[in-house]
Amino acid sequence: MKDFLEALINVSEKAANIARHCREEKALFELLVQEKIGNQKNKRFVQDFKTLADVLIQETVKHDIGKKFPDILNYIFGEESNIFTNTLGETIRVEIKDTEEETCKLLIQVLNDSNNAASLLAALVHTEVDSEANLTDVNINLPLKDLGIWIDPIDSTAEYISGLEDLQSVHGVHAVGLQCVTVLIGVFERASGGPVLGVINQPFHQQCQTTNRWHGRVLWGISYNGCNISSVKDAPVPMDNPTVIMSTTENEHVQASLAFAKILYASGAGYKQLCVVDGFADTYILTRGSTFKWDTCAPHAVLKSLGGGVVDLKRISKEPEANLQLHQLTYNKPDKAYDGIDQWCNMGGFVAYLDESLCREVLERVKNVV
């Protein structure tokens, strides 16, 4: 189990390195941006961007984890299609090859013969990373043959592309900016759909004032068969004044109904859930179907390892007194009522929480407006 968790942490850090590098090379970054179309488009946004960084990170996770743990290879899922169209109109399947040279050769095609850029990216993909995470307390055995993985290679793509820096936080929360970007790797049971392990990497956690270079951090949590362990050693204590985090575009009636609490706003579903993990917010509410399984699987597992969860808002609203554990989001089955990526959408919205009583308070307040 230690080997599996260590591999997930290491590949998340490799993913963060790719994300940081692509932001630092501005000309390269502008070249890589591609727009999602058709049934791959997230309807919430006017423009939803797919980047080569997204695809490279996703395929790197698949390659590195699948190579070390072949039992799970065919059950690693991601947000992105690995079909990339370059500026010449050529369609190429992006994948990680066995050698750096082979990967570089493929990336040269994607990058329209930009050899230097392809060489740099291939080197990052094939460089071994050792996060040196302290996993001495990890003694939970997970049946890898029964698990699946959801990857969100770069959550909060819009903030990643805009690249805003030097923005002040409010009560520890950044409303916008690179701090809102996360790499999410979530593991779930294929039979039950329940989340069992999550890795959240925040590539742009802190910026060095001397070099202007960004440094990241990694959080993880495991919750399986009643055993819970996390890199977050102490779950945050609920605040004196309840705090709810949400999107600025959240329903105005929902916002009004939660006037009893302090309301904070932020970008990125992964980041808002991270704010709950960090204790900057007690709950995160989203009433729209604008997130997907890859957005919530990893944070859900971390929250679960700390005694919290992510409950389906639509389902629990029908049975407000029901056990929250019966209405947790699950990750194993597509909703056949929808097409394309919408099959994996959290259509009913959700509430992410650490403290059940505060979650129920939020549910009670919004029950007549959702």
Side-chain angles (χ1 to χ4, degrees), residues 280-302:
F280 296 134
D282 294 304
T283 57
Y284 161 32
I285 186 170
L286 177 67
T287 60
R288 275 178 278 213
S290 57
T291 66
F292 298 82
K293 301 306 180 185
W294 50 81
D295 293 306
T296 53
C297 187
H300 191 167
V302 177

Side-chain angles (χ1 to χ4, degrees), residues 182-314:
T182 53
V183 176
L184 308 173
I185 305 175
V187 182
F188 64 94
E189 282 190 290
R190 297 207 308 272
S192 69
V196 296
L197 190 161
V199 174
I200 305 173
N201 194 306
Q202 189 181 18
F204 305 96
H205 175 50
Q206 290 182 330
Q207 189 175 29
C208 176
Q209 298 302 311
T210 304
T211 65
N212 288 329
R213 288 188 174 274
W214 285 92
H215 301 280
R217 62 170 177 153
V218 182
L219 294 84
W220 55 266
I222 305 170
S223 181
Y224 181 69
N225 275 354
C227 296
N228 297 298
I229 185 169
S230 173
S231 62
V232 183
K233 295 307 179 184
D234 297 304
V237 177
M239 302 178 187
D240 293 335
N241 297 316
T243 301
V244 180
I245 194 167
M246 62 181 69
S247 168
T248 56
T249 59
E250 185 54 77
N251 183 298
E252 61 182 19
H253 299 296
V254 170
Q255 295 192 47
S257 70
L258 295 173
F260 81 102
K262 179 190 297 179
I263 295 179
L264 298 176
Y265 302 99
S267 299
Y271 177 67
K272 287 194 279 288
Q273 290 167 97
L274 177 58
C275 287
V276 178
V277 172
D278 282 334
F280 296 134
D282 294 304
T283 57
Y284 161 32
I285 186 170
L286 177 67
T287 60
R288 275 178 278 213
S290 57
T291 66
F292 298 82
K293 301 306 180 185
W294 50 81
D295 293 306
T296 53
C297 187
H300 191 167
V302 177
L303 287 165
K304 186 180 173 187
S305 75
L306 296 170
V310 182
V311 67
D312 185 300
L313 179 57
K314 184 176 181 179

Side-chain angles (χ1 to χ4, degrees), residues 4 8 72 142 144 146-150 185-189 193-199 223 297-298 301 331:
F4 182 57
L8 291 175
I72 206 169
L142 295 179
L144 295 187
D146 299 327
L147 305 179
I149 295 177
W150 277 113
I185 305 175
V187 182
F188 64 94
E189 282 190 290
V196 296
L197 190 161
V199 174
S223 181
C297 187
Y331 299 92

